[in-house]
Amino acid sequence: MAAERGGCCLEAVPLPPEVRESLAELELELSEGDITQKGYEKKRAKLLARYIPLIQGVDPSLQAENRIPGSSQATAAVSKQQKSRSTNSRDERFRSDVHTEAVQAALAKYKERKMPMPSKRRSVLVHSSVETYTPPDTSSASEDEGSLRRQGRITSTPFQSHSSVEPWLNRVIQGSSTSSSASSTSSHPGGKPAAASSAAAAAATVLADLMAHAQLDNHSAPPDVTTGLVEHLHHERPQVASVRGIPRGYNSSILETADGVPVNSRVSSKIQQLLNTLKRPKRPPLKEFFVDDFEELLEVQQPDPNQPKPEGGQMTVLKGEPLGVVTNWPPSLLAALQRWGTTQPKTPCLTALDTTGKAIYTLTYGKLWSRSLKLAYTLLNKLTSKNEPLLKPGHRVALVFPNSDPVMFMVAFYGCLLADLVPVPIEVPLTRKDAGSQQIGFLLGSCGVTLALTTDVCQKGLPKAQTGEVVTFKGWPRLVWFVMDGKHLAKPAKDWHPQVRDASADIAYIEYKTSKEGSAMGITISHASMLAHCHALTQSCGYSEAETLTNVLDFKREAGLWHGVLTSVMNRMHVVSIPYALMKVNPLSWIQKVCSYKARVAVVKSRDMHWSLLAQRDQRDVNLSSLRMLIVADGANPWSISSCDAFLNVFQSRGLRPEVICPCASSSEALTVAIRRPPDLGGPPPGKAVLSMNCLSYSVIRVDTEEKLSVLTVQDVGQVMPGANVCVVKVDGTPYLCKTDEVGEICVNSGATGTAYYGLLGITKNVFETIPVTAAGVPVSDQPFTRTGLLGFIGPDSLVFVVGKLDGLMVVNIRKHNADDVVATALAVEPMKFVYRGRQLTAFTKWVCIVLLWFLPTPCQRLHSEEFIFQKQNSAF
């Protein structure tokens, strides 16, 4: 029957029992890893050389000598097996329980390790898998021996039909699963199961090698290692490789790599794994970008049950004093300029100084009014583009002026207001690719600015193209640069008069602000807000006509603009502007001008007070008795208290009164939030708070003693502005009102605040349209509040305390720290080499603080820190 299925006559080759036992031992040694594959092949070929005629290099005489006895033994074996089949009894000679258990243990071991199994070279006719193999039973054994009796004809008669041999060979190697399952229930006496089973497996493998050797000439296509579906492989001589731990009867034509990718048996698992890796895309699929890797997510920090918690009651909205009614108060800022320019033309308005401290020009109110009229007329009537006016009412205009030219800036600012244009003061760009100027350029582009006003000196210092024109800075829109010197301004026609209207909700000017991410945003200030702010400052500071004010701040923005350009014109005050370049050369220059001009008010920063301390030894005749208010614009910063106290200790003997020092708090969005007032203006005594920094990190207010090192001493910034309502809300989430002993963000409801971020509706709603609510969710007012970005609380006597800024907030493990605290700690060591407020710093800590200062979140903080620390060689650091 086997001959009929195979389609050819093969003579059986008998194998003596001792040879079969030797082959079985070799199989077991190979499966257990005792010998190598090469050694196994060598010993196996040596054992079968005398019995298999197809092995090359065998003496034919040896084959002839052993053919007849082998044939008789094979015939006896066939008759015995047929008899066993007829009696329905199983032959246990070819079963090896020991070998099977060893194989199963090896397979289980490899599966537990989940490692790629070594590949096995296979014949082209073998297609079974390792998982589907079962040990041969009696039926497969009979077919195996029948085929062995007929293999003597292979050398003389080549295969005529591949299709007729393949099914037979598959059955020889694979066996019958049904008969294998049945063989486990029967036995045959007197047999040798281990040797017989191994010999049958060896015979099946030999037949597979014979078939592969017979078809070497017909299938020699090169293998494709990139796929696991190779059907015809080529090798120089027939080899039967074995997988470690797997019997030879097992077929390992298809294996798996470590990641479960099927590979071909002719390719090692490592090579196939490398190829699979190379074939993968370098970037993961798009959907994998949105899959959270939960193993890499940080654990959610659980709150400390012993952390301090606020215990006070819910705060209420703090209302400032009402705005007083002033008789004959101008209806707008332009109306005040018109009044003073026509009725008091020779009254000094602004005095500019050079870098040596000399007054180079004094602008009167008459000159300010006349020059502003000329500029407004020229902008509206003399600048054209394609026979059309270049500017129309409501357009935005950039003001590009250096810090040393306040006169031309003031003329340009009021000239734009008279022309109903919106001025946008910006800094002078230093280079073409300056990072800060790129953000300013983005602001100008979003505002639709097409014209820039400047001076002849400033334009000559700007980078030029080959054509001689000002280059287009990176990120900037294309601008028309207009030099507004006297020769470029036209005299207004007799029938032309500017429209001086009352204060309205229209945009008056746009003040830029730099966020902690470095982006520039424009804050719109309406005419009504500008007028209300001037009114509130006049009432809180007690400004009167003809007073002299010394301004050390930048006159283009914030407190320098509010006091030195706007409120001063409203009250017909005289402003002495101290340029920044002069402060670098002579830090005591502002004190000298206070003495020479008998100034009543000075607007400074804590850095200016610090610098004056360094140079005060060189100045003997200093008298500050004329000052009634020394406004510290950055009084909200925690480090300002050290400068204020040190300045008072030094200059109190030179006429400076303690109540004169008036720190204030402000922001670009809410303008002036609070300011300390002298007792003659109804202000309460100044207050100081020594707070635990550990509790502050949990936004809780706890008073501590100055003897401890972990405390923060802050000073009050006075009372809220007249006509304003102030509350403190939680920083995150819904703006719930804070408790009385809790730190939160200060919010202001007033007519003297900014109105919006220009062109940014989403952020505008979050900042300028906040509705604080109580713990029950009830709104505290039907009017929106403006977030100031200041972190603080309301103390005794309705005094406002600020402990940091939202831009400098750092959250570490739930605890909140502020960059201003780092600066305050670093600057606690005064240049006179004494320790202030108990904050003792080692040399290493000082340099750590300096490094941290460089990484402060906002450029303004970095600028102030650098100026504060590194400007003077004899500083503490």
Side-chain angles (χ1 to χ4, degrees):
M1 181 180 293
E4 294 175 359
R5 280 195 296 258
C8 62
C9 295
L10 297 175
E11 295 182 1
V13 179
L15 295 177
E18 60 272 8
V19 176
R20 295 190 181 191
E21 291 180 2
S22 300
L23 290 175
E25 292 177 1
L26 286 178
E27 290 283 346
L28 184 60
E29 291 177 359
L30 179 62
S31 63
E32 294 178 356
D34 295 336
I35 60 174
T36 62
Q37 178 69 30
K38 187 176 180 180
Y40 167 79
E41 295 290 345
K42 185 176 180 181
K43 292 182 178 181
R44 178 177 172 275
K46 185 177 180 180
L47 289 173
L48 299 178
R50 301 176 59 185
Y51 307 99
I52 300 179
L54 291 182
I55 298 180
Q56 298 179 1
V58 178
D59 189 0
S61 62
L62 295 177
Q63 301 174 7
E65 292 176 0
N66 294 281
R67 182 173 302 176
I68 299 175
S71 300
S72 60
Q73 295 178 5
T75 305
V78 170
S79 62
K80 190 175 182 179
Q81 290 176 8
Q82 290 177 354
K83 182 178 180 181
S84 300
R85 262 199 307 265
S86 61
T87 58
N88 294 327
S89 63
R90 293 296 307 267
D91 189 354
E92 295 295 332
R93 292 177 301 163
F94 303 105
R95 295 185 67 252
S96 175
D97 296 336
V98 177
H99 183 266
T100 302
E101 291 176 0
V103 170
Q104 297 300 332
L107 287 175
K109 184 178 181 181
Y110 274 102
K111 289 182 179 180
E112 290 176 358
R113 293 183 180 180
K114 296 183 180 180
M115 296 175 59
M117 301 178 65
S119 61
K120 171 185 175 181
R121 298 187 184 274
R122 60 161 184 164
S123 300
V124 295
L125 301 181
V126 180
H127 298 281
S128 61
S129 61
V130 174
E131 291 79 2
T132 60
Y133 175 80
T134 56
D137 59 1
T138 55
S139 60
S140 59
S142 62
E143 293 176 359
D144 292 346
E145 292 196 2
S147 61
L148 287 175
R149 288 193 303 267
R150 293 181 292 273
Q151 63 181 331
R153 297 187 181 180
I154 297 179
T155 55
S156 58
T157 305
F159 288 108
Q160 301 295 332
S161 174
H162 170 73
S163 59
S164 61
V165 177
E166 184 174 357
W168 170 81
L169 189 56
N170 287 336
R171 281 190 295 271
V172 169
I173 296 177
Q174 294 180 0
S176 174
S177 60
T178 57
S179 61
S180 300
S181 60
S183 63
S184 59
T185 60
S186 61
S187 62
H188 189 277
K192 297 182 179 179
S197 177
S198 301
T205 308
V206 170
L207 291 179
D209 291 340
L210 296 179
M211 289 301 181
H213 179 70
Q215 294 190 1
L216 289 179
D217 297 334
N218 297 330
H219 305 283
S220 59
D224 182 10
V225 296
T226 61
T227 61
L229 303 176
V230 179
E231 297 296 338
H232 307 288
L233 302 176
H234 173 69
H235 50 280
E236 294 181 357
R237 66 181 184 87
Q239 295 183 0
V240 181
S242 175
V243 179
R244 292 290 180 101
I246 302 179
R248 300 230 13 117
Y250 280 57
N251 187 352
S252 59
S253 60
I254 298 179
L255 299 177
E256 290 187 357
T257 58
D259 53 356
V261 179
V263 300
N264 190 269
S265 61
R266 284 220 174 224
V267 183
S268 67
S269 59
K270 293 184 178 181
I271 296 178
Q272 186 64 38
Q273 192 172 8
L274 175 61
L275 293 174
N276 295 336
T277 303
L278 295 177
K279 289 195 299 183
R280 293 195 189 105
K282 294 183 179 179
R283 293 184 179 181
L286 183 61
K287 61 180 181 180
E288 294 186 9
F289 284 101
F290 303 96
V291 177
D292 292 334
D293 192 353
F294 293 99
E295 296 179 357
E296 298 180 1
L297 292 179
L298 296 178
E299 295 183 0
V300 179
Q301 187 72 21
Q302 298 298 330
D304 185 5
N306 299 324
Q307 72 182 31
K309 298 180 181 179
E311 301 173 354
Q314 182 176 277
M315 73 162 298
T316 58
V317 177
L318 179 63
K319 297 184 178 180
E321 62 182 277
L323 277 173
V325 179
V326 182
T327 59
N328 202 20
W329 184 259
S332 65
L333 185 60
L334 293 179
L337 175 61
Q338 185 181 25
R339 175 191 297 180
W340 307 131
T342 55
T343 61
Q344 302 287 338
K346 295 184 179 181
T347 302
C349 175
L350 178 65
T351 297
L353 307 178
D354 60 7
T355 55
T356 62
K358 294 182 179 179
I360 56 176
Y361 188 80
T362 298
L363 179 68
T364 62
Y365 279 94
K367 288 291 185 180
L368 176 61
W369 171 250
S370 61
R371 291 187 180 182
S372 300
L373 283 179
K374 288 182 179 180
L375 178 61
Y377 177 78
T378 303
L379 293 177
L380 293 178
N381 299 278
K382 298 301 180 180
L383 298 181
T384 59
S385 175
K386 298 180 180 180
N387 298 328
E388 292 290 336
L390 183 62
L391 298 175
K392 295 181 180 180
H395 284 188
R396 276 71 59 190
V397 178
L399 306 186
V400 186
F401 295 91
N403 293 331
S404 59
D405 198 350
V407 173
M408 297 303 292
F409 172 81
M410 202 169 191
V411 172
F413 188 88
Y414 283 101
C416 290
L417 294 182
L418 287 174
D420 203 11
L421 301 174
V422 180
V424 185
I426 61 173
E427 302 294 338
V428 179
L430 301 178
T431 60
R432 184 175 183 179
K433 296 182 179 180
D434 183 35
S437 66
Q438 293 182 29
Q439 297 297 329
I440 296 297
F442 174 78
L443 172 64
L444 298 179
S446 61
C447 293
V449 175
T450 58
L451 179 72
L453 299 180
T454 186
T455 61
D456 184 58
V457 177
C458 182
Q459 187 195 35
K460 290 180 180 179
L462 296 175
K464 301 293 190 305
Q466 296 181 354
T467 58
E469 299 179 354
V470 179
V471 298
T472 300
F473 296 95
K474 185 178 181 180
W476 283 43
R478 186 174 297 276
L479 300 178
V480 176
W481 293 83
F482 180 74
V483 177
M484 47 166 291
D485 291 343
K487 59 183 179 179
H488 298 96
L489 300 181
K491 186 177 181 179
K494 294 182 179 181
D495 57 347
W496 184 85
H497 299 283
Q499 296 181 359
V500 181
R501 298 176 297 181
D502 295 345
S504 63
D506 296 337
I507 300 177
Y509 69 95
I510 297 177
E511 182 175 332
Y512 81 90
K513 172 195 174 182
T514 304
S515 65
K516 66 178 181 180
E517 291 83 10
S519 60
M521 300 179 293
I523 301 172
T524 60
I525 311 296
S526 65
H527 287 272
S529 297
M530 183 173 58
L531 178 65
H533 190 217
C534 292
H535 192 180
L537 287 177
T538 300
Q539 182 173 333
S540 58
C541 298
Y543 287 142
S544 60
E545 297 181 9
E547 272 192 328
T548 302
L549 182 147
T550 302
N551 183 24
V552 191
L553 308 183
D554 184 7
F555 51 79
K556 297 189 294 294
R557 58 196 302 266
E558 294 183 346
L561 175 66
W562 305 333
H563 291 267
V565 177
L566 303 180
T567 308
S568 62
V569 172
M570 179 66 68
N571 295 279
R572 194 172 62 85
M573 299 172 63
H574 180 205
V575 178
V576 179
S577 182
I578 310 296
Y580 183 72
L582 177 60
M583 289 293 296
K584 287 184 175 181
V585 178
N586 183 11
L588 206 62
S589 58
W590 70 275
I591 297 180
Q592 296 172 354
K593 298 308 172 183
V594 168
C595 299
S596 60
Y597 284 94
K598 303 297 180 183
R600 300 280 291 166
V601 181
V603 184
V604 298
K605 284 189 175 182
S606 57
R607 67 178 184 192
D608 306 319
M609 304 169 70
H610 177 81
W611 289 353
S612 61
L613 292 175
L614 302 177
Q616 57 88 20
R617 298 176 183 176
D618 302 333
Q619 189 70 26
R620 299 298 179 184
D621 50 345
V622 172
N623 189 356
L624 299 178
S625 59
S626 63
L627 278 179
R628 66 174 184 85
M629 284 191 74
L630 179 60
I631 300 176
V632 184
D634 61 343
N637 293 328
W639 66 75
S640 63
I641 183 174
S642 299
S643 298
C644 292
D645 290 353
F647 188 83
L648 179 62
N649 293 334
V650 173
F651 288 96
Q652 188 173 6
S653 60
R654 302 185 184 184
L656 182 66
R657 302 186 302 273
E659 64 272 11
V660 169
I661 300 178
C662 300
C664 69
S666 61
S667 70
S668 300
E669 293 83 1
L671 306 186
T672 304
V673 177
I675 188 170
R676 185 190 295 177
R677 304 167 198 177
D680 56 351
L681 295 178
K688 295 181 180 179
V690 182
L691 307 176
S692 170
M693 296 190 68
N694 177 56
C695 296
L696 280 179
S697 63
Y698 294 101
S699 300
V700 178
I701 303 167
R702 293 290 182 268
V703 179
D704 213 325
T705 58
E706 295 187 11
E707 287 76 15
K708 295 184 179 180
L709 300 179
S710 59
V711 296
L712 177 66
T713 304
V714 295
Q715 62 182 349
D716 71 286
V717 291
Q719 295 175 307
V720 300
M721 297 296 291
N725 299 325
V726 174
C727 66
V728 182
V729 301
K730 295 184 181 296
V731 176
D732 302 323
T734 305
Y736 289 105
L737 289 178
C738 291
K739 296 183 179 181
T740 54
D741 58 344
E742 186 177 5
V743 176
E745 184 177 5
I746 300 175
C747 297
V748 177
N749 167 247
S750 172
T753 62
T755 56
Y757 291 117
Y758 189 88
L760 302 174
L761 300 180
I763 307 179
T764 296
K765 186 174 181 61
N766 295 333
V767 175
F768 294 93
E769 301 177 9
T770 300
I771 303 295
V773 296
T774 62
V778 180
V780 299
S781 174
D782 56 350
Q783 298 294 328
F785 281 68
T786 300
R787 292 181 176 267
T788 62
L790 302 176
L791 303 177
F793 59 95
I794 306 300
D797 297 330
S798 299
L799 295 177
V800 180
F801 289 84
V802 178
V803 298
K805 295 181 180 179
L806 191 61
D807 286 345
L809 188 63
M810 300 177 293
V811 181
V812 181
N813 292 336
I814 304 178
R815 304 180 64 178
K816 299 178 181 179
H817 308 275
N818 207 282
D820 294 335
D821 298 339
V822 180
V823 181
T825 305
L827 299 181
V829 180
E830 293 297 325
M832 283 72 72
K833 307 296 183 183
F834 67 85
V835 178
Y836 184 71
R837 296 295 176 198
R839 302 191 190 100
Q840 300 179 1
L841 300 177
T842 62
F844 174 76
T845 309
K846 295 176 186 177
W847 286 112
V848 170
C849 293
I850 293 175
V851 173
L852 291 177
L853 292 179
W854 177 249
F855 293 99
L856 289 177
T858 60
C860 292
Q861 291 177 351
R862 286 197 296 267
L863 176 63
H864 298 165
S865 307
E866 293 168 9
E867 294 170 356
F868 210 98
I869 296 178
F870 299 108
Q871 186 64 33
K872 291 299 177 180
Q873 298 179 356
N874 57 346
S875 63
F877 299 101

